[in-house]
């Protein structure tokens, strides 16, 4: 992933795996917690506190790639880049939701018909 920050291209391009994402999430949690520049030990501590295993090489790589960069600007530029993809993805998601809603309505109608046919208009115990 390449970010543009004030006309300067950042080279923060981690290999994205579930393990990488947990380390990036831990870094973000540290920043949200008030630590503007988390160390590798800070990130590792958060990962282990959440029950995961910290990969020291991955943590060091993320720390090196993010050091000296304003995380807010990186996130803002990344969100702007994702915004250019939203119409295609949003339309597909909306279409899927609409189809799911129609399917749910059909299932509900079928259940009501089954209940009515089971009743058959008489009561055995009354």
């Amino acid at each position: 992933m390449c970010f543009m920050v004030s006309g300067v291209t950042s080279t923060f391009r981690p290999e994205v795996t579930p393990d990488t994402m947990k380390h990036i999430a831990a870094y973000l949690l540290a920043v949200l917690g008030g630590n503007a520049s988390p160390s590798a030990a800070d990130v590792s501590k958060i990962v282990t506190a959440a029950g995961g295993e910290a990969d020291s090489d991955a943590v060091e790589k993320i720390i090196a790639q993010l050091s000296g960069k304003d995380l807010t600007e990186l996130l803002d530029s990344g969100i702007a880049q994702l915004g250019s993809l939203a119409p295609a993805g949003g339309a597909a998601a909306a279409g899927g939701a609409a189809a799911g809603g129609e399917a749910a309505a059909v299932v509900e109608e079928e259940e009501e018909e089954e209940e009515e046919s089971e009743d058959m208009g008489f009561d055995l115990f009354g």
Side-chain angles (χ1 to χ4, degrees):
M1 185 178 292
C2 182
F3 296 102
M4 287 292 292
V5 180
S6 302
V8 177
T9 303
S10 170
T11 58
F12 179 63
R13 296 181 183 144
E15 180 182 333
V16 180
T17 65
D19 285 338
T20 305
M21 291 307 297
K22 74 180 175 186
H23 295 102
I24 293 171
Y27 184 91
L28 293 172
L29 285 171
V31 172
L32 285 172
N35 185 348
S37 183
S39 67
D42 297 331
V43 173
S44 296
K45 185 176 179 180
I46 292 170
V47 170
T48 55
E53 287 186 36
D55 178 359
S56 60
D57 293 335
V59 172
E60 291 293 337
K61 188 174 184 178
I62 291 168
I63 297 294
Q65 289 178 335
L66 291 174
S67 68
K69 294 183 176 63
D70 183 1
L71 189 59
T72 304
E73 288 181 9
L74 284 174
L75 291 173
D76 287 344
S77 66
I79 290 170
Q81 290 178 5
L82 288 175
S84 66
L85 302 175
E102 292 171 8
V106 170
V107 169
E108 186 175 317
E109 287 177 17
E110 288 176 7
E111 289 176 3
E112 288 178 11
E113 289 176 13
E114 288 176 14
E115 290 174 6
E116 289 176 8
S117 65
E118 290 174 5
D119 185 19
M120 296 174 54
F122 63 92
D123 185 11
L124 292 175
F125 301 107

